[in-house]
Amino acid sequence: MIKQHDIDISAGVVCVKGHIQFGLFCFFYLQLPMEQLVSCGKSPGGAKCLEEFKYYFNKEGELRHMDTNEPFVFNYYKNEPERNHKRYQVLGHMITQYVYELLEKECELQKVHIPLDAQSNEPQSCFFMSKEALTNPLSLIILLQDYGVVRAGQWGQKTIIHHGLDQGTQIPFIKIAKKEYGGIIVLNPNDNFLEMKVEEPEMTLIKKESSLSTENDQDTAMCNKQLIPKRCCSTAEEHTIYVWDHFISKSLAKKVAFITHGYGGLTFVDLLMRRKEVMSKVFAVAFIDSKHNTQHQVGDNAEVQDWIRKHCKSWVLSSKALDRPTGSVLRLDCPRVSAGTENHELAPFCSLQPIFRFLSRSSEPKTNAVNSRTRMVTRSSVRNKNPIE
């Protein structure tokens, strides 16, 4: 365990003498007092950290500076790109924690740590789900985002910073899914490693606090960075398969739908190829500017090709009006329509409404002869009319 006296705070750099350090501990001092930055790294309170960083989200969900009310400025320090980048990284970590708080407090989701059989000192990943996600007899919606720095609850971190929470987080999707379909699971496919920095004893930094300099950059490099993979979650594919095997496949929901973005689409197709039961439990998949490649991932598997054509729909970047057909590059792929934008990170927000219309239509019986039990039951349909037995 790291103790307070084991930590050197010098020249805006935190390194641990002969120990391992976690999270934000080795970032430059940017705008926060270092002791507060360290406390955020232990058990971050997103809103509190943002306040100390002099930023907050206003009523419209926009990130603003507390003193100037201006949007975030990347080039805060003139002609110091590395320093500005570190500042941006710290802000990104704070936003991740802030969104985690919103998922639990505003969306009333539960954080689930995995793997379930982890030892007490073993690094774990996590995901979020609604209280009744596994027991609700209605439908279950799964959100699976792109790769990169985005964590659970985020479609695009840059979009959150420059456009707002509604545009960049998954919260609008979560609220609709909870209201209309009952269950929601928010995956966390990019939480794959525990970042560790170990300082060799002869590299200990014993300097007084001072402003950032080139010398400090060299000192920081002395902290050897190590990435420790989280068991069962070292890749997006591994994380998704684990949550499927231990949670989604065991849920009582007869109808499961995936909404994927970017690499999340590729990850879903990987799951589809590895778990045959996906085709019987999942009724619809919405791909948003997806990185999946049906020809490469599915090959000549005619059964899976046919399933993708019938159950999936892809919203692609396009200058065409929202939801207008754009044509499929490959005949074996699913129908493609416009996302109403040419911005990758804004695509989920822009296509939200047509995606939920697609899920609603996909849940309806294909013919009048189909038994009504196969129809996806939503909360609103139960309120508006008596269900057909």
Side-chain angles (χ1 to χ4, degrees):
M1 178 179 293
I2 299 173
K3 299 179 181 179
Q4 185 66 35
H5 62 265
D6 292 323
I7 300 176
D8 274 341
I9 301 177
S10 54
V13 179
V14 179
C15 285
V16 181
K17 295 186 287 187
H19 289 271
I20 293 173
Q21 68 171 112
F22 304 93
L24 302 178
F25 278 12
C26 208
F27 279 123
F28 288 112
Y29 172 70
L30 302 168
Q31 209 167 354
L32 281 171
M34 185 58 68
E35 65 274 9
Q36 293 175 355
L37 184 57
V38 171
S39 69
C40 290
K42 291 178 181 176
S43 181
K48 180 63 176 177
C49 287
L50 282 170
E51 289 177 8
E52 298 294 346
F53 204 59
K54 291 290 186 179
Y55 279 95
Y56 75 106
F57 286 100
N58 61 22
K59 293 181 180 180
E60 288 73 38
E62 301 165 328
L63 186 68
R64 292 291 182 265
H65 194 277
M66 296 182 70
D67 294 336
T68 66
N69 202 37
E70 293 294 322
F72 179 80
V73 177
F74 180 84
N75 294 314
Y76 186 82
Y77 300 106
K78 188 176 181 180
N79 298 324
E80 296 189 62
E82 181 65 21
R83 192 178 181 188
N84 286 322
H85 178 65
K86 294 295 182 182
R87 177 172 175 265
Y88 188 80
Q89 286 182 311
V90 173
L91 178 64
H93 280 274
M94 292 177 182
I95 288 175
T96 291
Q97 298 305 323
Y98 182 73
V99 173
Y100 279 177
E101 289 181 9
L102 292 179
L103 294 183
E104 292 186 280
K105 296 177 181 178
E106 182 176 328
C107 300
E108 298 181 329
L109 301 185
Q110 299 175 335
K111 181 188 285 188
V112 181
H113 294 278
I114 53 175
L116 297 173
D117 61 348
Q119 302 298 314
S120 59
N121 60 344
E122 182 180 0
Q124 289 180 281
S125 183
C126 69
F127 69 95
F128 294 80
M129 67 179 182
S130 56
K131 184 178 180 180
E132 301 175 350
L134 305 183
T135 59
N136 197 311
L138 304 180
S139 304
L140 179 61
I141 306 296
I142 315 296
L143 302 184
L144 180 54
Q145 70 265 53
D146 200 3
Y147 60 80
V149 298
V150 287
R151 296 296 186 263
Q154 302 179 51
W155 291 124
Q157 198 167 91
K158 184 167 65 175
T159 305
I160 295 174
I161 293 173
H162 296 293
H163 294 275
L165 294 171
D166 282 348
Q167 291 84 350
T169 72
Q170 299 173 338
I171 291 175
F173 285 79
I174 294 169
K175 289 181 176 179
I176 294 177
K178 286 188 65 180
K179 179 181 179 181
E180 298 295 331
Y181 302 104
I184 178 77
I185 287 181
V186 180
L187 297 179
N188 203 7
N190 300 315
D191 185 24
N192 311 128
F193 299 93
L194 180 65
E195 184 176 309
M196 298 178 167
K197 294 182 176 68
V198 180
E199 181 196 3
E200 300 298 332
E202 62 270 18
M203 294 180 178
T204 53
L205 304 175
I206 309 176
K207 290 181 170 68
K208 295 182 179 180
E209 290 190 46
S210 62
S211 61
L212 290 170
S213 66
T214 303
E215 181 180 344
N216 294 333
D217 292 345
Q218 295 171 349
D219 290 334
T220 306
M222 296 180 184
C223 291
N224 296 325
K225 182 177 180 180
Q226 297 182 13
L227 296 177
I228 307 301
K230 297 182 178 181
R231 183 165 59 88
C232 302
C233 299
S234 62
T235 66
E237 293 85 350
E238 197 173 62
H239 172 91
T240 304
I241 288 174
Y242 186 90
V243 178
W244 174 272
D245 289 344
H246 293 82
F247 297 91
I248 303 172
S249 66
K250 297 180 179 180
S251 70
L252 297 182
K254 301 301 181 183
K255 293 286 187 177
V256 176
F258 274 75
I259 301 175
T260 74
H261 181 218
Y263 193 85
L266 185 149
T267 303
F268 172 80
V269 176
D270 177 80
L271 173 68
L272 180 64
M273 296 302 295
R274 293 175 184 271
R275 297 292 185 268
K276 190 173 182 179
E277 68 271 18
V278 170
M279 288 190 288
S280 61
K281 196 170 181 69
V282 175
F283 79 95
V285 180
F287 292 122
I288 309 171
D289 193 24
S290 178
K291 299 297 188 292
H292 78 279
N293 187 310
T294 305
Q295 186 175 29
H296 174 72
Q297 293 183 267
V298 177
D300 59 358
N301 190 320
E303 182 184 13
V304 176
Q305 291 176 8
D306 184 61
W307 188 91
I308 290 176
R309 282 195 299 267
K310 292 179 178 178
H311 296 272
C312 304
K313 191 171 184 178
S314 186
W315 279 261
V316 301
L317 302 186
S318 174
S319 59
K320 290 187 176 182
L322 177 63
D323 223 27
R324 286 287 185 88
T326 62
S328 298
V329 176
L330 300 172
R331 293 183 62 184
L332 55 82
D333 205 1
C334 60
R336 291 158 44 111
V337 296
S338 172
T341 181
E342 296 180 89
N343 184 311
H344 172 73
E345 290 195 340
L346 282 175
F349 174 74
C350 293
S351 53
L352 183 151
Q353 294 300 332
I355 283 176
F356 278 102
R357 286 197 297 269
F358 162 69
L359 297 185
S360 179
R361 288 194 300 267
S362 299
S363 68
E364 296 175 355
K366 300 303 179 184
T367 67
N368 293 332
V370 177
N371 191 306
S372 61
R373 291 181 184 177
T374 64
R375 181 174 182 176
M376 180 177 179
V377 181
T378 68
R379 292 183 184 273
S380 60
S381 65
V382 172
R383 289 194 301 266
N384 295 334
K385 61 181 179 179
N386 293 326
I388 301 175
E389 298 297 337

